[in-house]
Every structure is written in structure tokens, then in C-alpha cells.
Amino acid sequence: MSLVRWRRNRIFVWAAACLAGSVRAQEEAVVAAFEKGDAAALRAMAERDDPDPWVVAERLCAAGKHEPALALARASDRAALAGLRAY
């Protein structure tokens, strides 16, 4: 394996780990805001594009946390989340 390819692979692995960590942190923040009934925090998280609310909601649903995922989808009137609310 060339040095360039090795570095590229290492950067990809590092970026994927960073993204996974931010999604996981966002999941925990959504659940905490949902449990507290903090609509402002949910709206702020739904308005962000990083991490993508679709990814966060999908992971929450996969973990069986459907109510927080629905609360995240309903927290914003963004057109990008219209499909998420229906999903």
C-alpha cells in the first residue's frame, strides 16, 4: 500500500469516527431534551445540518426510541424534515 493511500484511509477512518461520535452525542441530547420537555433545544437540534436530523432520527428508531425521534422531526417546520415527519 502506498503512503498516499495509507494516509487517505487513515483520514477516512478518523472522519468516520468523528461523525459517529457527533451522531451519538446528538442522539443522547435529543433523548435528554425530550425527557425534559425542552422544545427549544429540540428545535435547535432539528435546525442543524450537522449531524443530519434524518441520521439521528433513524438511529433513534433503530434503538426503539420512537417518541424522541418523532419529537425531533416535529420540532422544526423545515422543508427538509417534512418527509421525516411522515416517516
Side-chain angles (χ1 to χ4, degrees):
M1 177 181 291
S2 73
L3 182 59
V4 172
R5 180 178 274 166
W6 179 82
R7 284 184 180 164
R8 190 178 313 138
N9 288 343
R10 296 297 297 169
I11 290 170
F12 176 76
V13 168
W14 174 80
C18 289
L19 177 61
S22 68
V23 171
R24 194 173 314 120
Q26 188 81 340
E27 287 177 56
E28 293 169 3
V30 167
V31 171
F34 174 75
E35 290 173 351
K36 291 179 186 175
D38 190 349
L42 284 169
R43 181 174 180 83
M45 288 182 269
E47 295 290 330
R48 293 180 58 190
D49 286 331
D50 184 30
D52 189 340
W54 276 86
V55 174
V56 175
E58 179 66 30
R59 288 181 50 126
L60 285 168
C61 287
K65 299 175 182 174
H66 301 283
E67 294 85 9
L70 183 58
L72 178 66
R74 290 181 175 167
S76 174
D77 293 335
R78 287 175 55 189
L81 298 182
L84 182 57
R85 288 187 288 277
Y87 175 70

